[in-house]
Amino acid sequence: GKALAFWVIGLHQNVSAFQLEAHRAGIMAFTELGRAAECLAAAARSRPPRPRPTGPALSPRTIPAPGTGPVVWDEYDAKRLLADFGLPVVDEAAIDSVEEALAVARDWGWPVVVKRLLPGEAHKSEKGLVVMDLFDEASLRRAFDRIRTRTGAPGRIVVQRQVRPDYELIAGYIDAPGFGPAVMLGRGGIHAEVEPDVAFDLAPLGRDRALALMGRLRAGKLFDGPRGVAPLDREALADLVCRLGELGLSRPDIVQIDVNPVAVVKGRPIALDATIVTGVPSGVGVGLSEPVGAPRPAVE
């Protein structure tokens, strides 16, 4: 009659095999003690599950057959789905030519960002697929030509309004085998990898629990607006977190949403980049904030 969870350490191959067997048996298994504690604390605070919400009419997606592996959406598609569900996302447009990019930039104003989106590629900056600080037509033409020939693989080119955040956060949703749907919030950008500061709660969650989630971050002092930074609109961020959980619950094919970074600009949150993973076979998941092109047989 007791809940059972494992914290596992050891060689990666052995640990992964153990986690896969544990998840097939419906038992949580973690490789990071802090993550295990966060998830168990979220479970302790949880209430009986509510019915999954029904979201708005969204673009149909095919759910892959079991065993076919995960499908990683490109950034543009992922943010279109977030926008359909009412989450704030940065202005951007998929373009086919430099003239289209120039027309978009003239309409929005400078500066802009150009990105090359590759299927299954979550880390574009490290591969030279993102060019920022484009302040005029000449720099945009050079960036477009360079990024178009950067790789021979197929992929869309996107022009995006450049945003200067006061700071960055990360938000996510994951449907973890043996644990269930959960949302996360934490420091974003490089802090998500170098100095993790995250908190979890079960989905769906309401406004009060979303606000409490913010209060569990060590970086909470940022939200008060130190040194001239605008105070965070906590209600807007709470709405983003709640909608993220509802979106994941409304789509049974979604097992992971990773929104990193969530830029905070003059106190308002806005999604700059996002990844969605659908169709992961039963018992297999992908760790939030980690490369999704090569999924591991576990959810940390």
Side-chain angles (χ1 to χ4, degrees), residues 34-86:
R35 183 70 58 84
E38 283 280 358
C39 291
L40 291 174
R45 291 189 301 271
S46 69
R47 299 177 180 178
R50 294 181 288 169
R52 291 194 171 215
T54 301
L58 303 175
S59 302
R61 295 278 176 174
T62 301
I63 301 177
T68 59
V71 174
V72 182
W73 296 24
D74 75 20
E75 175 185 340
Y76 185 79
D77 280 343
K79 278 183 286 188
R80 298 286 68 73
L81 184 60
L82 296 183
D84 285 345
F85 220 83

Side-chain angles (χ1 to χ4, degrees), residues 20-286:
L20 181 58
E21 291 302 316
H23 290 163
R24 285 173 175 167
I27 302 171
M28 294 178 288
F30 303 90
T31 61
E32 183 181 328
L33 184 57
R35 183 70 58 84
E38 283 280 358
C39 291
L40 291 174
R45 291 189 301 271
S46 69
R47 299 177 180 178
R50 294 181 288 169
R52 291 194 171 215
T54 301
L58 303 175
S59 302
R61 295 278 176 174
T62 301
I63 301 177
T68 59
V71 174
V72 182
W73 296 24
D74 75 20
E75 175 185 340
Y76 185 79
D77 280 343
K79 278 183 286 188
R80 298 286 68 73
L81 184 60
L82 296 183
D84 285 345
F85 220 83
L87 280 82
V89 301
V90 68
D91 292 330
E92 62 183 6
I95 48 95
D96 295 317
S97 68
V98 68
E99 296 305 326
E100 289 183 15
L102 288 169
V104 171
R106 295 187 193 111
D107 183 46
W108 290 342
W110 307 89
V112 295
V113 179
V114 173
K115 298 182 177 182
R116 179 74 180 270
L117 308 184
L118 299 182
E121 180 55 63
H123 294 267
K124 298 176 287 296
S125 297
E126 294 88 337
K127 298 182 181 295
L129 302 178
V130 179
V131 184
M132 303 178 62
D133 298 320
L134 304 176
F135 287 90
D136 53 40
E137 294 189 6
S139 62
L140 178 53
R141 287 182 183 276
R142 290 193 299 269
F144 183 88
D145 290 340
R146 183 167 73 251
I147 208 168
R148 182 176 54 182
T149 58
R150 187 77 182 183
T151 173
R156 286 186 286 195
I157 297 179
V158 169
V159 60
Q160 184 181 94
R161 186 193 298 272
Q162 183 159 320
V163 173
R164 297 291 187 186
D166 295 324
Y167 52 90
E168 296 179 342
L169 302 174
I170 180 173
Y173 166 88
I174 189 167
D175 192 354
F179 183 70
V183 296
M184 66 90 72
L185 180 68
R187 288 293 302 275
I190 191 172
H191 295 278
E193 300 176 7
V194 177
E195 189 181 3
D197 178 15
V198 298
F200 288 80
D201 205 340
L202 298 183
L205 73 168
R207 169 186 170 278
D208 291 342
R209 281 169 55 195
L211 292 172
L213 196 65
M214 301 176 208
R216 288 167 37 214
L217 298 177
R218 297 191 304 274
K221 292 182 179 179
L222 275 177
F223 302 160
D224 297 328
R227 298 189 179 183
V229 176
L232 173 68
D233 186 335
R234 285 176 165 82
E235 295 291 339
L237 183 59
D239 182 69
L240 183 152
V241 171
C242 292
R243 286 178 184 270
L244 196 58
E246 291 168 359
L247 168 58
L249 288 167
S250 71
R251 293 283 301 254
D253 56 325
I254 292 179
V255 293
Q256 177 179 321
I257 307 172
D258 195 358
V259 187
N260 184 25
V262 176
V264 178
V265 183
K266 297 181 180 179
R268 299 283 298 182
I270 181 170
L272 297 190
D273 199 346
T275 299
I276 292 176
V277 182
T278 55
V280 176
S282 177
V284 178
V286 183

